[in-house]
Amino acid sequence: SELQKSFSIFLPMETIRANHKHNDISKQLLQPCVDLLLAKETQEDFNKTSLRSLVAKARRGCFLLFGDDEVKSSSLWYEAVGVAASSLAMKGGQFACYDLLEASGLLDVRSGEAPFRSIMSVAVSLCIRASKDSRSFGSTMLHDSSYENGQ
């Protein structure tokens, strides 16, 4: 099958259709995209064409995995992208999660529960990160002797 040839996914068909491995496999398929985005802070040669190519390959693998139902496959794809983008929001560079959302096409979707939940998940992750960053910054300011002395 194409999942085996193109993506090195070797699972029995009953396991694939049972859905209990979809999250793990979709995460594995999106991992090259995440890795590229995590590394982009140190790479001057990052380009969105490479990311789009990796996302297209991951999407193809996910749609093969999820089956023939286009609506269900799209919904599961958006959920998988949301999980990956939320992870990037917590540990990636400033715009890593946005780059993934844009390259995946999720930002172009006008309606639907799965895209909405995915974008909300990323927004919550960004808020959590901002809260942690602000606490860390506040703690640093409190322990800075020049700040304490009013200088």
Side-chain angles (χ1 to χ4, degrees), residues 2-18:
E2 190 175 344
L3 276 173
Q4 293 173 341
K5 291 177 188 172
S6 299
F7 302 97
S8 299
I9 296 174
F10 299 95
L11 292 172
M13 200 52 120
E14 58 272 3
T15 302
I16 290 172
R17 296 295 179 227

Side-chain angles (χ1 to χ4, degrees), residues 7 33 50-62 77 103:
F7 302 97
C33 306
S50 298
L51 177 61
R52 285 189 187 109
S53 176
L54 290 172
V55 168
K57 183 175 181 181
R59 180 182 170 101
R60 175 69 181 142
C62 285
W77 168 248

Side-chain angles (χ1 to χ4, degrees), residues 37-38 40-41 46 48 51 85 88-89 92-102 126 129:
L37 288 164
L38 288 174
K40 86 173 194 170
E41 296 303 315
F46 171 79
K48 291 188 179 192
L51 177 61
L88 283 168
Q94 184 176 3
F95 296 107
C97 62
Y98 303 120
D99 289 337
L100 180 60
L101 291 173
E102 180 184 19
L126 288 168
R129 181 176 176 172

